[in-house]
Coordinates of all heavy atoms in Angstrom, one line a residue:
M150 N 0.0 -43.6 -61.8 CA 0.9 -44.7 -61.9 C 0.3 -46.0 -61.3 O 0.5 -47.1 -61.8 CB 2.3 -44.4 -61.3 CG 3.1 -43.4 -62.0 SD 3.8 -44.0 -63.5 CE 2.7 -43.3 -64.7
G151 N -0.4 -45.8 -60.2 CA -1.1 -46.9 -59.5 C -2.1 -47.5 -60.4 O -2.2 -48.8 -60.5
L152 N -3.0 -46.7 -61.1 CA -4.0 -47.2 -62.0 C -3.3 -47.9 -63.1 O -3.9 -49.0 -63.6 CB -4.8 -46.0 -62.5 CG -5.8 -45.4 -61.5 CD1 -6.6 -44.3 -62.2 CD2 -6.8 -46.5 -60.9
Y153 N -2.2 -47.4 -63.6 CA -1.6 -48.1 -64.8 C -1.0 -49.4 -64.3 O -1.1 -50.4 -65.0 CB -0.5 -47.2 -65.4 CG 0.3 -47.8 -66.5 CD1 -0.3 -47.9 -67.7 CD2 1.6 -48.3 -66.3 CE1 0.4 -48.5 -68.8 CE2 2.3 -48.9 -67.3 CZ 1.7 -49.0 -68.6 OH 2.3 -49.6 -69.6
I154 N -0.3 -49.4 -63.2 CA 0.4 -50.7 -62.8 C -0.5 -51.7 -62.4 O -0.3 -52.9 -62.6 CB 1.4 -50.3 -61.7 CG1 2.6 -49.5 -62.2 CG2 2.0 -51.6 -61.0 CD1 3.5 -49.0 -61.2
V155 N -1.6 -51.4 -61.7 CA -2.5 -52.4 -61.2 C -3.3 -53.1 -62.3 O -3.7 -54.3 -62.1 CB -3.6 -51.7 -60.2 CG1 -4.7 -51.0 -61.0 CG2 -4.2 -52.8 -59.3
S156 N -3.3 -52.5 -63.5 CA -4.0 -53.2 -64.6 C -3.0 -53.4 -65.8 O -3.5 -53.7 -66.9 CB -5.1 -52.3 -65.1 OG -4.6 -51.0 -65.6
R157 N -1.7 -53.5 -65.5 CA -0.8 -53.7 -66.6 C -0.8 -55.1 -67.1 O -0.6 -55.3 -68.3 CB 0.7 -53.4 -66.0 CG 1.7 -53.1 -67.1 CD 3.0 -52.6 -66.5 NE 3.7 -53.7 -65.9 CZ 4.5 -54.5 -66.5 NH1 4.8 -54.4 -67.8 NH2 5.2 -55.5 -65.9
K158 N -1.1 -56.0 -66.3 CA -1.2 -57.4 -66.7 C -2.7 -57.9 -66.6 O -2.9 -59.1 -66.3 CB -0.3 -58.3 -65.9 CG 1.2 -58.0 -66.0 CD 1.7 -58.5 -67.4 CE 3.2 -58.3 -67.5 NZ 3.7 -58.8 -68.8
A159 N -3.6 -57.0 -66.9 CA -5.0 -57.4 -66.8 C -5.4 -58.5 -67.8 O -6.4 -59.2 -67.6 CB -5.9 -56.2 -67.0
E160 N -4.7 -58.6 -68.9 CA -5.1 -59.6 -69.9 C -4.7 -61.0 -69.5 O -5.1 -62.0 -70.1 CB -4.4 -59.2 -71.3 CG -2.9 -59.4 -71.3 CD -2.2 -58.1 -70.8 OE1 -2.9 -57.2 -70.4 OE2 -1.0 -58.1 -70.8
D161 N -3.8 -61.1 -68.5 CA -3.4 -62.4 -68.0 C -4.4 -62.9 -67.0 O -4.4 -62.6 -65.8 CB -2.0 -62.3 -67.4 CG -0.9 -61.9 -68.4 OD1 -1.2 -62.1 -69.6 OD2 0.2 -61.5 -67.9
A162 N -5.4 -63.7 -67.5 CA -6.5 -64.2 -66.7 C -6.0 -65.3 -65.8 O -6.6 -65.6 -64.8 CB -7.6 -64.6 -67.5
G163 N -4.8 -65.9 -66.1 CA -4.4 -67.0 -65.3 C -3.9 -66.6 -63.9 O -3.9 -67.4 -63.0
G164 N -3.5 -65.4 -63.8 CA -3.0 -64.9 -62.5 C -1.6 -65.4 -62.1 O -1.5 -66.1 -61.1
D165 N -0.6 -65.1 -63.0 CA 0.7 -65.6 -62.7 C 1.4 -64.7 -61.7 O 0.7 -63.7 -61.2 CB 1.5 -65.6 -64.0 CG 1.5 -64.3 -64.7 OD1 0.8 -63.4 -64.3 OD2 2.3 -64.1 -65.7
V166 N 2.6 -64.9 -61.4 CA 3.3 -64.2 -60.4 C 3.5 -62.7 -60.7 O 3.3 -61.8 -59.9 CB 4.7 -64.8 -60.1 CG1 5.5 -64.0 -59.1 CG2 4.5 -66.3 -59.6
A167 N 3.8 -62.4 -62.0 CA 4.0 -61.0 -62.4 C 2.7 -60.2 -62.3 O 2.7 -59.1 -61.9 CB 4.4 -61.0 -63.9
S168 N 1.5 -60.8 -62.6 CA 0.3 -60.1 -62.5 C -0.1 -59.8 -61.1 O -0.6 -58.7 -60.7 CB -0.8 -60.9 -63.2 OG -1.0 -62.1 -62.6
W169 N 0.1 -60.8 -60.2 CA -0.1 -60.6 -58.8 C 0.8 -59.5 -58.2 O 0.4 -58.7 -57.4 CB 0.0 -61.9 -58.0 CG -1.2 -62.8 -58.1 CD1 -1.4 -63.9 -58.8 CD2 -2.5 -62.5 -57.5 NE1 -2.6 -64.4 -58.7 CE2 -3.4 -63.6 -57.9 CE3 -3.0 -61.5 -56.7 CZ2 -4.7 -63.7 -57.4 CZ3 -4.3 -61.6 -56.2 CH2 -5.1 -62.6 -56.6
M170 N 2.0 -59.5 -58.7 CA 3.0 -58.5 -58.2 C 2.5 -57.1 -58.7 O 2.6 -56.1 -57.9 CB 4.4 -58.8 -58.7 CG 5.5 -57.9 -58.2 SD 7.1 -58.3 -58.8 CE 7.2 -60.0 -58.1
D171 N 2.1 -57.0 -59.9 CA 1.6 -55.7 -60.4 C 0.4 -55.2 -59.6 O 0.3 -54.1 -59.2 CB 1.2 -55.8 -61.9 CG 2.4 -56.0 -62.8 OD1 3.5 -55.7 -62.3 OD2 2.2 -56.5 -63.9
R172 N -0.5 -56.1 -59.3 CA -1.7 -55.7 -58.5 C -1.3 -55.3 -57.1 O -1.8 -54.3 -56.5 CB -2.7 -56.9 -58.4 CG -3.3 -57.2 -59.7 CD -4.5 -58.2 -59.6 NE -5.0 -58.6 -60.9 CZ -4.7 -59.7 -61.5 NH1 -3.8 -60.5 -61.0 NH2 -5.2 -60.0 -62.7
L173 N -0.4 -56.0 -56.4 CA 0.1 -55.7 -55.1 C 0.8 -54.3 -55.1 O 0.4 -53.4 -54.3 CB 1.0 -56.7 -54.6 CG 1.6 -56.5 -53.2 CD1 0.5 -56.5 -52.1 CD2 2.6 -57.6 -52.8
F174 N 1.7 -54.1 -56.0 CA 2.4 -52.8 -56.1 C 1.4 -51.7 -56.4 O 1.4 -50.6 -55.9 CB 3.5 -52.8 -57.2 CG 4.6 -53.7 -56.8 CD1 4.7 -54.3 -55.6 CD2 5.7 -53.8 -57.7 CE1 5.8 -55.1 -55.2 CE2 6.8 -54.6 -57.3 CZ 6.9 -55.2 -56.1
G175 N 0.4 -52.0 -57.4 CA -0.5 -51.0 -57.8 C -1.4 -50.5 -56.7 O -1.7 -49.3 -56.5
F176 N -1.9 -51.5 -55.9 CA -2.8 -51.1 -54.8 C -2.1 -50.3 -53.7 O -2.7 -49.4 -53.1 CB -3.5 -52.4 -54.2 CG -4.6 -52.9 -55.0 CD1 -4.6 -54.2 -55.5 CD2 -5.7 -52.1 -55.4 CE1 -5.7 -54.7 -56.3 CE2 -6.8 -52.5 -56.1 CZ -6.7 -53.8 -56.6
Y177 N -0.8 -50.7 -53.5 CA -0.1 -49.9 -52.5 C 0.1 -48.5 -52.9 O 0.0 -47.6 -52.2 CB 1.3 -50.6 -52.2 CG 2.2 -49.8 -51.3 CD1 2.0 -49.8 -50.0 CD2 3.2 -49.0 -51.9 CE1 2.8 -49.0 -49.2 CE2 4.0 -48.2 -51.1 CZ 3.9 -48.2 -49.7 OH 4.7 -47.5 -49.0
I178 N 0.5 -48.3 -54.2 CA 0.7 -47.0 -54.7 C -0.6 -46.2 -54.7 O -0.6 -45.0 -54.4 CB 1.3 -47.1 -56.2 CG1 2.7 -47.8 -56.1 CG2 1.4 -45.7 -56.8 CD1 3.2 -48.1 -57.5
L179 N -1.7 -46.8 -55.0 CA -3.0 -46.1 -54.9 C -3.3 -45.7 -53.5 O -3.9 -44.7 -53.2 CB -4.1 -47.0 -55.5 CG -4.1 -47.2 -57.0 CD1 -5.2 -48.2 -57.4 CD2 -4.3 -45.8 -57.7
G180 N -2.9 -46.6 -52.5 CA -3.1 -46.2 -51.1 C -2.3 -45.0 -50.7 O -2.8 -44.1 -50.0
V181 N -1.1 -45.0 -51.2 CA -0.2 -43.8 -50.9 C -0.8 -42.5 -51.5 O -0.8 -41.4 -51.0 CB 1.2 -44.0 -51.3 CG1 2.1 -42.8 -51.2 CG2 1.8 -45.2 -50.5
A182 N -1.3 -42.7 -52.8 CA -2.0 -41.6 -53.4 C -3.2 -41.0 -52.7 O -3.3 -39.8 -52.5 CB -2.4 -42.0 -54.9
A183 N -4.0 -41.9 -52.2 CA -5.2 -41.5 -51.4 C -4.8 -40.8 -50.1 O -5.3 -39.8 -49.7 CB -6.1 -42.7 -51.1
T184 N -3.8 -41.3 -49.4 CA -3.3 -40.7 -48.2 C -2.7 -39.4 -48.5 O -2.9 -38.4 -47.7 CB -2.3 -41.6 -47.5 OG1 -2.8 -42.9 -47.3 CG2 -1.9 -41.1 -46.1
G185 N -1.9 -39.3 -49.5 CA -1.3 -38.0 -49.9 C -2.3 -36.9 -50.2 O -2.2 -35.8 -49.9
A186 N -3.4 -37.3 -51.0 CA -4.4 -36.4 -51.3 C -5.2 -35.9 -50.0 O -5.5 -34.7 -49.9 CB -5.4 -37.1 -52.3
L187 N -5.4 -36.8 -49.1 CA -6.0 -36.4 -47.8 C -5.2 -35.4 -47.0 O -5.7 -34.4 -46.5 CB -6.3 -37.7 -47.0 CG -6.9 -37.5 -45.6 CD1 -8.3 -36.8 -45.7 CD2 -7.1 -38.8 -44.8
F188 N -3.9 -35.7 -47.0 CA -3.0 -34.8 -46.3 C -2.9 -33.4 -47.0 O -2.9 -32.4 -46.4 CB -1.6 -35.4 -46.2 CG -1.3 -36.1 -44.9 CD1 -1.8 -37.4 -44.7 CD2 -0.6 -35.5 -43.8 CE1 -1.6 -38.1 -43.5 CE2 -0.4 -36.2 -42.7 CZ -0.9 -37.5 -42.5
A189 N -2.9 -33.5 -48.3 CA -2.9 -32.2 -49.1 C -4.1 -31.4 -48.8 O -4.0 -30.1 -48.7 CB -2.7 -32.5 -50.6
F190 N -5.2 -32.0 -48.7 CA -6.5 -31.3 -48.4 C -6.5 -30.7 -46.9 O -6.9 -29.6 -46.7 CB -7.7 -32.2 -48.5 CG -9.0 -31.6 -48.2 CD1 -9.6 -30.8 -49.1 CD2 -9.6 -31.9 -47.0 CE1 -10.8 -30.2 -48.8 CE2 -10.8 -31.3 -46.7 CZ -11.4 -30.4 -47.6
R191 N -5.9 -31.5 -46.0 CA -5.9 -31.0 -44.6 C -4.9 -29.9 -44.4 O -5.1 -29.0 -43.6 CB -5.6 -32.1 -43.7 CG -6.7 -33.2 -43.6 CD -6.4 -34.3 -42.6 NE -6.2 -33.7 -41.2 CZ -5.9 -34.4 -40.2 NH1 -5.6 -35.7 -40.3 NH2 -5.8 -33.8 -39.0
L192 N -3.8 -29.9 -45.1 CA -2.7 -28.9 -45.0 C -2.8 -27.8 -46.0 O -1.8 -27.1 -46.2 CB -1.3 -29.6 -45.0 CG -1.1 -30.8 -44.1 CD1 0.3 -31.4 -44.3 CD2 -1.2 -30.3 -42.6
R193 N -3.9 -27.6 -46.7 CA -3.9 -26.7 -47.8 C -3.8 -25.2 -47.3 O -3.4 -24.4 -48.1 CB -5.3 -26.8 -48.5 CG -6.5 -26.5 -47.7 CD -7.8 -26.9 -48.4 NE -9.0 -26.5 -47.7 CZ -9.5 -27.2 -46.7 NH1 -8.9 -28.3 -46.3 NH2 -10.6 -26.8 -46.1
G194 N -4.1 -25.0 -46.0 CA -4.0 -23.6 -45.5 C -2.7 -23.2 -45.0 O -2.5 -22.0 -44.6
L195 N -1.7 -24.1 -44.9 CA -0.4 -23.9 -44.3 C 0.6 -23.3 -45.3 O 0.4 -23.7 -46.5 CB 0.2 -25.1 -43.7 CG -0.6 -25.7 -42.4 CD1 0.1 -27.0 -41.9 CD2 -0.6 -24.7 -41.3
P196 N 1.6 -22.6 -44.9 CA 2.6 -22.1 -45.9 C 3.4 -23.3 -46.4 O 3.5 -24.3 -45.7 CB 3.4 -21.1 -45.1 CG 3.2 -21.5 -43.6 CD 1.8 -22.0 -43.6
P197 N 4.1 -23.1 -47.5 CA 4.9 -24.2 -48.1 C 6.0 -24.7 -47.2 O 6.3 -25.9 -47.2 CB 5.5 -23.6 -49.4 CG 4.5 -22.5 -49.8 CD 4.0 -22.0 -48.5
A198 N 6.5 -23.8 -46.3 CA 7.6 -24.3 -45.4 C 7.1 -25.3 -44.4 O 7.9 -26.1 -43.9 CB 8.2 -23.0 -44.7
L199 N 5.8 -25.3 -44.1 CA 5.3 -26.2 -43.1 C 4.6 -27.4 -43.8 O 4.6 -28.5 -43.3 CB 4.3 -25.5 -42.2 CG 4.9 -24.4 -41.3 CD1 3.8 -23.8 -40.5 CD2 6.0 -24.9 -40.5
S200 N 3.9 -27.1 -45.0 CA 3.2 -28.2 -45.6 C 4.0 -29.1 -46.5 O 3.7 -30.2 -46.9 CB 2.0 -27.6 -46.4 OG 2.5 -26.7 -47.4
E201 N 5.2 -28.5 -47.0 CA 6.1 -29.3 -47.9 C 7.5 -29.3 -47.4 O 8.4 -28.8 -48.0 CB 6.0 -28.6 -49.3 CG 4.7 -28.7 -50.0 CD 4.2 -30.1 -50.3 OE1 5.1 -31.0 -50.4 OE2 3.0 -30.4 -50.3
P202 N 7.7 -29.8 -46.2 CA 9.1 -29.8 -45.7 C 9.9 -31.0 -46.3 O 9.3 -32.0 -46.7 CB 8.9 -30.0 -44.2 CG 7.6 -30.7 -44.0 CD 6.8 -30.3 -45.2
A203 N 11.2 -30.8 -46.3 CA 12.1 -31.9 -46.8 C 12.1 -33.0 -45.8 O 12.0 -32.8 -44.6 CB 13.5 -31.4 -47.1
L204 N 12.3 -34.3 -46.2 CA 12.3 -35.4 -45.3 C 13.4 -35.3 -44.3 O 13.2 -35.6 -43.1 CB 12.4 -36.7 -46.1 CG 12.5 -38.0 -45.2 CD1 11.2 -38.2 -44.4 CD2 12.7 -39.2 -46.1
A205 N 14.6 -34.9 -44.7 CA 15.8 -34.8 -43.8 C 15.5 -33.8 -42.7 O 15.8 -34.0 -41.5 CB 17.0 -34.5 -44.5
R206 N 14.9 -32.7 -43.1 CA 14.6 -31.6 -42.1 C 13.5 -32.1 -41.1 O 13.5 -31.8 -39.9 CB 14.2 -30.3 -42.8 CG 14.1 -29.2 -41.8 CD 14.0 -27.9 -42.6 NE 12.8 -27.8 -43.4 CZ 12.8 -27.8 -44.7 NH1 13.9 -27.9 -45.4 NH2 11.7 -27.7 -45.4
E207 N 12.5 -32.8 -41.7 CA 11.4 -33.3 -40.8 C 11.9 -34.3 -39.8 O 11.6 -34.2 -38.6 CB 10.3 -34.0 -41.7 CG 9.4 -33.0 -42.3 CD 8.7 -32.1 -41.2 OE1 8.0 -32.7 -40.4 OE2 9.0 -30.9 -41.2
M208 N 12.7 -35.3 -40.2 CA 13.2 -36.3 -39.3 C 14.2 -35.7 -38.3 O 14.2 -36.1 -37.1 CB 13.9 -37.4 -40.1 CG 13.0 -38.2 -41.0 SD 13.8 -39.5 -41.9 CE 14.2 -40.6 -40.5
H209 N 14.9 -34.6 -38.7 CA 15.8 -33.9 -37.8 C 15.0 -33.2 -36.7 O 15.3 -33.2 -35.5 CB 16.7 -33.0 -38.5 CG 17.6 -32.2 -37.6 ND1 18.7 -32.8 -37.0 CD2 17.6 -30.9 -37.3 CE1 19.4 -31.9 -36.3 NE2 18.7 -30.7 -36.4
S210 N 13.9 -32.5 -37.2 CA 13.1 -31.7 -36.2 C 12.3 -32.5 -35.3 O 12.1 -32.1 -34.1 CB 12.2 -30.8 -37.0 OG 11.3 -31.5 -37.8
T211 N 11.9 -33.7 -35.7 CA 11.1 -34.6 -34.8 C 12.0 -35.2 -33.7 O 11.6 -35.5 -32.6 CB 10.5 -35.7 -35.5 OG1 11.5 -36.4 -36.3 CG2 9.4 -35.2 -36.4
A212 N 13.3 -35.2 -34.0 CA 14.3 -35.8 -33.0 C 14.7 -34.7 -32.0 O 15.4 -35.0 -31.0 CB 15.5 -36.4 -33.7
Q213 N 14.4 -33.4 -32.2 CA 14.8 -32.4 -31.3 C 14.0 -32.4 -30.0 O 12.9 -32.8 -30.0 CB 14.6 -31.0 -32.0 CG 15.5 -30.8 -33.3 CD 17.0 -30.8 -32.9 OE1 17.3 -30.3 -31.8 NE2 17.8 -31.3 -33.8
H214 N 14.7 -32.0 -29.0 CA 14.0 -31.8 -27.7 C 13.1 -30.6 -27.8 O 13.6 -29.6 -28.3 CB 15.0 -31.7 -26.6 CG 14.4 -31.8 -25.2 ND1 13.8 -30.7 -24.6 CD2 14.2 -32.9 -24.4 CE1 13.4 -31.1 -23.4 NE2 13.6 -32.4 -23.2
P215 N 11.9 -30.6 -27.2 CA 11.1 -29.4 -27.3 C 11.7 -28.2 -26.7 O 11.4 -27.1 -27.2 CB 9.8 -29.8 -26.6 CG 9.8 -31.3 -26.6 CD 11.2 -31.7 -26.6
G216 N 12.5 -28.3 -25.7 CA 13.0 -27.1 -25.1 C 14.4 -26.7 -25.6 O 14.9 -25.7 -25.1
L217 N 14.9 -27.4 -26.6 CA 16.3 -27.1 -27.1 C 16.1 -26.5 -28.5 O 15.3 -26.8 -29.2 CB 17.2 -28.3 -27.1 CG 17.5 -29.0 -25.8 CD1 18.4 -30.2 -26.0 CD2 18.2 -28.0 -24.9
P218 N 17.0 -25.5 -28.8 CA 17.0 -25.0 -30.2 C 17.5 -26.0 -31.2 O 18.1 -27.0 -30.8 CB 18.0 -23.8 -30.1 CG 18.9 -24.2 -29.0 CD 18.1 -24.9 -28.0
P219 N 17.1 -25.9 -32.5 CA 17.6 -26.9 -33.5 C 19.1 -26.9 -33.5 O 19.8 -25.9 -33.4 CB 17.0 -26.3 -34.8 CG 15.8 -25.4 -34.4 CD 16.3 -24.9 -33.0
Q220 N 19.6 -28.1 -33.7 CA 21.0 -28.3 -33.8 C 21.5 -27.8 -35.2 O 20.8 -27.8 -36.2 CB 21.4 -29.8 -33.7 CG 21.0 -30.3 -32.4 CD 21.4 -31.8 -32.3 OE1 21.9 -32.4 -33.2 NE2 21.1 -32.4 -31.1

Side-chain angles (χ1 to χ4, degrees):
M150 290 290 101
L152 288 179
Y153 177 76
I154 291 174
V155 78
S156 60
R157 199 173 73 87
K158 296 289 185 179
E160 67 277 3
D161 296 339
D165 56 354
V166 177
S168 62
W169 279 107
M170 186 179 299
D171 290 340
R172 293 188 183 98
L173 179 62
F174 289 0
F176 282 125
Y177 173 79
I178 296 171
L179 288 175
V181 174
T184 307
L187 178 61
F188 267 78
F190 178 78
R191 293 184 59 184
L192 303 177
R193 65 189 183 277
L195 294 179
L199 298 178
S200 61
E201 297 295 335
L204 177 62
R206 187 168 64 250
E207 277 304 298
M208 296 183 68
H209 179 73
S210 59
T211 54
Q213 295 294 326
H214 191 276
L217 296 179
Q220 297 180 1

